[in-house]
């Protein structure tokens, strides 16, 4: 079989071209929605600078280098170190010149065989005090035996004799100097001036400087003193107003009192004679009271009491002349020992090389004495010169005598 012929081809229906699909918004750019607006940029006023945004420069402290500045606008200059809170020590308005030769300050010339001793003057002073010691022991014993019996009395007497050891007890000496003599420890600036001068003096003498304590007396007079066994004092005038070499001469003089034993011998004798002195003062007081009462009653009673007192004195002289005569002469003998002790102390200062300076100090003392006499005369008062007995009771030679005693050392160059 034949296949039927294929039908004629019909042209393919030409469908109209499909229109392009509609352009949806996805084809077109989507609408530009406003994005979150940026913060307005204010060009005229910048935003504030917070510390977290722009760190501020650190402050400039005094230890930081100073910024470059011009001469016209210089910043205030801060101190690099804080000022001390303690005010500076006051200094004398007119400090004394330091003219001392400190050649021996670093090395001792020699070491003295005896740091302190007792020369003939000290021994003589102790011997003069022996009668007073006997009288004092009798007074103490009489009171002790009356109050405590024989055994207790001897204990009291021995205890009183042992109290003399306090003269060499350093704390007791310092307490005596502080409370009785009204001395004080030197201030810092006073110590700074005294210490090197004292060390130079003691180095020349071969004495250990720490064997003695330096103290100061508030006084406008040129003076110094040797107390007991370990104290040397100077006045504020001597400390602040005279040159260092003259102050060294004064200290050497007082050191001579210590090395010669004058200070401790005098204090020891005074201590052991004190009960006798008190008993004598009480006796004189009672005698005066008796005379006053007798005078009030009648003149006959006054004469009778006076005769009784006189007979008692004469009887005492006749009974124990070996005690009463030395007791009467003791004040004059002690004054003589004192004058000799001053000359020996001057000699000590001269031997250490201070003869010229000691002479200058004595001339200054003499000038002050003459000035005081002139003021008394200018005030219209009569000037009374010391009599013979007053001169015999003086414990210091006059200044001219001391200057003449130093002249041999000046001629030999000491």
């Amino acid at each position: 079989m034949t296949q039927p012929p294929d039908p004629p081809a019909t042209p393919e229906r030409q469908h109209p071209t499909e229109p392009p699909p509609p352009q949806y918004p996805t084809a077109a750019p989507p609408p530009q929605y406003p994005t979150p607006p940026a913060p307005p940029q204010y060009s005229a006023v910048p935003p504030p600078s917070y510390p977290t945004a722009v760190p501020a420069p650190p402050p400039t402290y005094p230890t930081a280098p100073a910024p470059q500045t011009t001469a016209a606008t210089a910043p205030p200059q801060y101190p690099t170190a804080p000022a001390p809170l303690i005010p500076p020590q006051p200094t004398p308005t007119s400090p004394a010149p330091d003219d001392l030769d400190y050649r021996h300050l670093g090395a001792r010339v020699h070491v003295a065989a005896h740091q302190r001793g007792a020369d003939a003057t000290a021994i003589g002073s102790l011997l003069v005090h022996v009668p007073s010691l006997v009288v004092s022991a009798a007074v103490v014993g009489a009171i002790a035996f009356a109050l405590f019996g024989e055994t207790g009395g001897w204990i009291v007497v021995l205890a009183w004799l042992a109290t003399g050891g306090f003269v060499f007890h350093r704390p007791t000496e310092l307490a005596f100097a502080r409370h009785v003599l009204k001395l004080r420890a030197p201030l810092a600036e006073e110590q700074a001036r005294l210490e090197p001068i004292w060390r130079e003096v003691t180095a020349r003498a071969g004495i250990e400087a720490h064997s003695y304590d330096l103290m100061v007396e508030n006084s406008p007079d040129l003076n110094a003193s040797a107390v007991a066994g370990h104290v040397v004092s100077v006045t504020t005038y001597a400390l602040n107003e005279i040159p260092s070499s003259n102050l060294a001469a004064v200290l050497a003089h007082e050191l001579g009192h210590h090395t010669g034993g004058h200070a401790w011998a005098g204090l020891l004798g005074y201590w052991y004679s004190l009960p006798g002195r008190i008993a004598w003062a009480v006796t004189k007081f009672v005698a005066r009271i008796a005379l006053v009462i007798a005078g009030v009653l009648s003149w006959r009673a006054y004469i009778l009491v006076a005769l009784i007192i006189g007979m008692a004195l004469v009887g005492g002289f006749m009974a124990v002349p070996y005690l009463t005569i030395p007791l009467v002469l003791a004040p004059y003998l002690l004054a003589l020992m004192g004058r000799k002790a001053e000359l020996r102390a001057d000699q000590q200062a001269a031997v250490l090389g201070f003869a010229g300076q000691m002479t200058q100090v004595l001339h200054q003392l003499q000038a002050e004495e003459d000035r005081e006499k002139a003021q008394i005369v200018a005030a219209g008062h009569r000037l009374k010169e010391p009599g013979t007995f007053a001169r015999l009771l003086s414990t210091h030679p006059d200044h001219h005598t001391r200057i003449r005693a130093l002249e041999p050392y000046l001629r030999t160059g000491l």
Side-chain angles (χ1 to χ4, degrees):
M1 290 187 65
T2 59
Q3 292 286 343
D6 292 329
T10 58
E12 186 178 356
R13 183 179 293 180
Q14 298 292 325
H15 297 283
T17 58
E18 294 180 0
Q23 297 296 324
Y24 294 100
T26 55
Q32 297 295 327
Y33 294 101
T35 58
Q41 300 294 326
Y42 300 99
S43 57
V45 180
S49 297
Y50 296 100
T52 55
V54 181
T60 303
Y61 295 101
T63 54
Q68 298 294 330
T69 57
T70 61
T73 60
Q77 298 296 325
Y78 298 99
T80 56
L85 299 178
I86 302 176
Q89 296 290 339
T91 56
T93 54
S94 56
D98 188 3
D99 58 349
L100 180 61
D101 180 8
Y102 295 97
R103 69 181 66 181
H104 306 102
L105 186 60
R108 187 179 307 284
V109 179
H110 65 282
V111 177
H114 302 286
Q115 296 289 300
R116 60 168 55 85
D119 58 17
T121 302
I123 295 174
S125 175
L126 290 175
L127 292 176
V128 171
H129 277 106
V130 168
S132 300
L133 169 64
V134 173
V135 173
S136 295
V139 171
V140 173
I143 297 174
F145 289 137
L147 295 178
F148 305 104
E150 183 176 356
T151 303
W154 281 113
I155 293 175
V156 171
V157 171
L158 293 177
W160 169 71
L161 291 174
T163 57
F166 285 110
V167 171
F168 307 98
H169 184 238
R170 205 156 184 167
T172 303
E173 292 179 42
L174 294 175
F176 173 78
R178 188 177 298 110
H179 299 294
V180 178
L181 302 181
K182 304 303 180 184
L183 306 180
R184 60 173 176 81
L187 302 176
E189 66 271 17
E190 295 171 338
Q191 185 72 22
R193 173 164 168 76
L194 271 175
E195 189 67 25
I197 299 175
W198 176 246
R199 290 190 175 276
E200 173 64 21
V201 171
T202 54
R204 296 189 187 191
I207 303 297
E208 297 291 343
H210 59 78
S211 299
Y212 301 94
D213 294 292
L214 298 174
M215 302 191 76
V216 177
E217 177 187 2
N218 295 324
S219 172
D221 299 327
L222 174 55
N223 199 8
S225 61
V227 180
H230 300 91
V231 176
V232 174
S233 74
V234 295
T235 60
T236 49
Y237 179 91
L239 182 62
N240 298 320
E241 300 298 333
I242 64 175
S244 296
S245 59
N246 290 9
L247 179 58
V250 172
L251 292 174
H253 174 92
E254 302 306 329
L255 180 62
H257 281 309
H258 275 302
T259 56
H262 310 153
W264 67 261
L267 183 58
L268 189 65
Y270 178 83
W271 172 251
Y272 280 134
S273 66
L274 189 58
R277 293 173 183 270
I278 295 174
W280 178 243
V282 172
T283 302
K284 290 192 298 182
F285 177 76
V286 172
R288 288 195 184 97
I289 294 297
L291 289 173
V292 170
I293 295 175
V296 171
L297 296 176
S298 68
W299 62 270
R300 293 183 180 88
Y302 183 87
I303 293 176
L304 178 61
V305 172
L307 286 174
I308 293 173
I309 294 174
M311 290 174 63
L313 292 175
V314 172
F317 273 99
M318 298 297 291
V320 283
Y322 51 86
L323 284 180
T324 53
I325 293 176
L327 286 174
V328 172
L329 297 178
Y332 301 96
L333 295 175
L334 289 175
L336 175 62
M337 293 298 104
R339 293 193 295 271
K340 289 186 175 296
E342 292 300 321
L343 294 177
R344 285 182 177 271
D346 287 345
Q347 180 183 4
Q348 164 81 0
V351 168
L352 297 183
F354 300 109
Q357 291 81 2
M358 196 68 217
T359 302
Q360 294 176 6
V361 172
L362 293 173
H363 278 299
Q364 183 175 350
L365 291 172
Q366 183 62 49
E368 292 178 359
E369 183 179 320
D370 294 339
R371 185 163 51 252
E372 291 176 358
K373 291 180 179 179
Q375 291 175 354
I376 293 174
V377 174
H381 301 291
R382 182 181 177 182
L383 186 63
K384 303 176 76 173
E385 294 292 339
T388 303
F389 287 101
R391 289 196 299 271
L392 291 175
L393 290 172
S394 175
T395 58
H396 284 64
D398 61 85
H399 303 308
H400 295 296
T401 300
R402 296 174 66 179
I403 292 172
R404 282 194 298 269
L406 288 172
E407 288 177 353
Y409 298 94
L410 296 174
R411 287 194 295 267
T412 57
L414 291 176

